[in-house]
Structures are given as C-alpha cells and as structure tokens.
C-alpha cells in the first residue's frame, strides 16, 4: 500500500473477512478476496489482497468518515465488527462486486491480530473525526 502525502499508518494486520452483512444478510459473496492485509491510517482504512497472479488489489477502501462504529465480539476467536457507510466504499472492480452495494450500512466481520487494539484505534479515529 502506498501512503498519500501527510498520511500515517496507525495499525496494520493480516485480515480474514468472515462475514459482510447488509440488512442482516451475509453478502460475503460480493468479496472475491477474503484474505489480505488491513491498514488503518489517519485518513482511511484499506484492505489489500494478492491475486493468483501475485498482483495487489484493493478489496475495499473506506475514508474515516465511512466508519460508523466498531466492537469486538466473541469469547474465543474474537472478531472485529465494523459498521460502514456503503456509499463511501471504493474498491478494485475485480475484488469487490459493488453492484450489490446500494447504499445504507453494512457490517464487516473481520478476523485480525489483536482485535481489541484495532477497536481502540478505530473508535479513536471515529471520535476524532466527529469533533
């Protein structure tokens, strides 16, 4: 991932998308690559994956304004749940079928390293943009 001018990395982890719920229904089938790297910067959250041809694709990119709330769920094998504004999702067309994203909100269920730290960083980013 290439950082933009003035952008700083806050958190980086391998990630597996476990579910992608829209209106309570799992739409994970819209995501072609469900494993990759997740990066949080001071401007956005990005998931990138490697294609079989070893090229990088952007599975999704979300400005901080698209992040609504985040929680950690589960006792063993905790998951990070992030509610997102679907209208602000950008992605490589070969990685995410955006035709299924009609607006509204969705919830990503992500398996990341140290989900509590991720939730803390995301909540800090969400609250700082609301000020």
């Amino acid at each position: 991932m290439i950082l933009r001018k003035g952008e700083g990395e806050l958190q980086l982890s391998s990630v597996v998308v476990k579910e992608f719920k829209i209106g309570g229904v799992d739409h994970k089938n819209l995501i072609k690559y469900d494993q990759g790297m997740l990066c949080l910067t001071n401007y956005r959250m990005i998931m990138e994956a490697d294609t079989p041809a070893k090229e990088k694709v952007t599975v999704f990119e979300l400005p901080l304004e698209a992040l609504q709330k985040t929680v950690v769920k589960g006792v063993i094998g905790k998951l990070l749940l992030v509610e997102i504004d679907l209208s602000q999702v950008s992605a490589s067309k070969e990685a995410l079928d955006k035709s299924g994203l009609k607006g509204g909100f969705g919830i990503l269920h992500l398996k990341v390293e140290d989900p509590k730290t991720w939730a803390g960083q995301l909540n800090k980013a969400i609250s700082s943009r609301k000020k």
Side-chain angles (χ1 to χ4, degrees), residues 46-113:
I46 311 105
M47 179 182 168
E48 290 186 336
D50 289 324
T51 67
K54 303 291 184 214
E55 297 174 355
K56 292 250 186 250
V57 294
T58 301
V59 178
F60 59 78
E61 180 177 330
L62 299 158
L64 293 184
E65 293 76 24
L67 306 175
Q68 301 303 306
K69 64 181 178 180
T70 183
V71 295
V72 176
K73 291 280 183 164
V75 178
I76 301 173
K78 296 180 188 303
L79 294 177
L80 178 69
L81 278 60
V82 183
E83 184 177 356
I84 60 171
D85 178 347
L86 298 173
S87 68
Q88 297 189 52
V89 175
S90 61
S92 300
K93 66 180 179 179
E94 64 271 11
L96 177 66
D97 179 6
K98 287 184 63 175
S99 67
L101 307 181
K102 302 295 185 209
F105 296 94
I107 300 176
L108 288 164
H109 295 231
L110 307 171
K111 182 178 180 187
V112 293
E113 300 160 12

Side-chain angles (χ1 to χ4, degrees), residues 1-4 6-13 37-44 46 118 121:
M1 186 192 74
I2 298 172
L3 295 175
R4 298 174 182 160
E7 189 173 32
E9 182 182 295
L10 302 175
Q11 193 79 15
L12 181 70
S13 171
M37 293 299 293
L38 187 66
C39 182
L40 176 66
T41 75
N42 51 330
Y43 292 115
R44 58 194 172 133
I46 311 105
W118 268 95
Q121 287 281 12

